[in-house]
Amino acid sequence: MKKKIWKNPNNLNELEVDENCLIDNRTGERFVEDENGIIRFIQKEEIEGSNKKSTDFYNSFAPFYEIGQKIWYSFFGGEEKARMDYLNYLDIKENTTVLEVSIGTAANVKYLTRNADYYGIDISMGQLLQSVKNKNKYKLPITLCYANAESLPFKDNSFDVVYHIGGINLFNDKQKAIYEMVRVAKKGAKIMICDETEKVAQKYEKLPYFGKPFKNREKIVPPIKLFPENVENIKSIEIRKGTLYIITCNKK
């Protein structure tokens, strides 16, 4: 665990490294790194609302997620090409500090430079356990955290790049998550959010099992209006024939 980057997600207190845990010296609260190397900032019982519905789905699907993704991406020229459709917008340079919000199985990091310091958070423990397997298999330089995107466990101005791919459409509080991504980004940092468009969601919701997270949802609109004022160069585009939206900006 590295020092000077961690914040108690429940308040503004800085966390100190204490062997295999992070400790809030003001309150005594401790956040432990478990046997899988995942730092736990939340408890399963704390997850509710839309977050719980999507998390239950991803936990159940986690062991089969990567197989499903490979099949899906085969329609777009293979997994590497399909992932690079959006990863190319990041422009991650060597020796930078990068945060992926909702890291899933860490499959994106496999296609990015290894000479960077990656942090990944997710609210699905099932997905994080798959991340651990990929981290070990591919020797990925990632610190993994069980945490909520709407209350990130990092101090202000900590990351050179912050990105999120897939999932924000189903968040409890999209604006709060976006504000958190901007908060932890450094001045000038690249921020990217990517997810399915309404056109895709309408097809998903009709499917058995896979449609569960999309039932009774709000209409999907790229959340460009939810960004705070301290960003610039904000752009919104659609790729893959209008099936994915990408929002990029820089922190002022």
Side-chain angles (χ1 to χ4, degrees):
M1 298 183 189
K2 296 189 176 181
K3 297 182 178 181
K4 298 184 179 180
I5 196 172
W6 304 102
K7 177 186 79 70
N8 187 333
N10 302 318
N11 55 46
L12 299 176
N13 296 342
E14 183 175 340
L15 296 175
E16 297 293 335
V17 177
D18 181 21
E19 295 184 357
N20 69 330
C21 78
L22 297 163
I23 185 167
D24 183 336
N25 286 324
R26 295 184 183 180
T27 66
E29 194 169 5
R30 302 167 70 87
F31 302 94
V32 178
E33 182 178 75
D34 68 17
E35 66 275 12
N36 295 300
I38 299 169
I39 306 173
R40 294 176 176 251
F41 289 96
I42 56 174
Q43 301 295 324
K44 181 180 178 181
E45 296 73 25
E46 299 172 16
I47 304 170
E48 55 188 17
S50 298
N51 287 347
K52 185 178 187 308
K53 184 167 71 171
S54 60
T55 300
D56 288 346
F57 169 78
Y58 280 110
N59 282 339
S60 66
F61 187 51
F64 317 103
Y65 181 82
E66 290 209 323
I67 295 173
Q69 289 285 282
K70 289 182 186 299
I71 294 171
W72 173 244
Y73 284 142
S74 67
F75 296 104
F76 301 98
E79 184 175 8
E80 181 172 4
K81 179 185 179 302
R83 290 189 183 278
M84 293 311 298
D85 284 347
Y86 44 77
L87 292 177
N88 277 327
Y89 286 87
L90 292 175
D91 187 29
I92 295 175
K93 296 178 172 56
E94 295 188 356
N95 302 315
T96 53
T97 305
V98 181
L99 171 64
E100 180 170 3
V101 175
S102 302
I103 194 168
T105 64
N108 290 315
V109 182
K110 290 190 294 184
Y111 300 102
L112 299 172
T113 178
R114 301 296 171 86
N115 295 321
D117 191 12
Y118 294 94
Y119 289 74
I121 74 104
D122 208 292
I123 204 169
S124 166
M125 181 54 73
Q127 292 284 76
L128 284 171
L129 291 174
Q130 297 303 312
S131 282
V132 172
K133 292 180 180 180
N134 277 330
K135 175 182 177 178
N136 295 334
K137 181 177 180 180
Y138 299 103
K139 296 179 171 55
L140 302 177
I142 313 174
T143 299
L144 296 170
C145 305
Y146 186 40
N148 192 331
E150 295 155 20
S151 187
L152 294 173
F154 306 107
K155 294 173 63 177
D156 298 359
N157 309 309
S158 294
F159 296 96
D160 300 290
V161 177
V162 179
Y163 69 97
H164 165 84
I165 299 166
I168 196 168
N169 288 337
L170 305 174
F171 281 8
N172 281 352
D173 191 333
K174 301 177 186 65
Q175 185 171 57
K176 190 173 181 182
I178 292 170
Y179 273 52
E180 280 290 274
M181 289 184 229
V182 175
R183 178 185 66 79
V184 302
K186 295 178 182 178
K187 182 178 180 180
K190 183 70 165 286
I191 301 162
M192 183 183 85
I193 291 175
C194 173
D195 209 344
E196 293 96 351
T197 61
E198 174 66 15
K199 180 166 70 173
V200 175
Q202 289 178 2
K203 294 180 179 179
Y204 280 172
E205 68 182 353
K206 297 175 183 177
L207 297 174
Y209 181 72
F210 293 102
K212 289 181 180 179
F214 296 91
K215 302 292 185 183
N216 303 314
R217 59 181 168 75
E218 295 180 358
K219 182 179 179 180
I220 293 173
V221 177
I224 193 166
K225 293 182 179 180
L226 300 183
F227 278 76
E229 294 182 355
N230 61 328
V231 298
E232 59 187 358
N233 306 321
I234 189 164
K235 299 175 184 177
S236 179
I237 64 168
E238 291 184 353
I239 63 172
R240 291 197 200 145
K241 300 180 180 180
T243 59
L244 285 176
Y245 66 79
I246 297 176
I247 301 172
T248 58
C249 63
N250 300 91
K251 184 174 179 179
K252 289 182 182 179

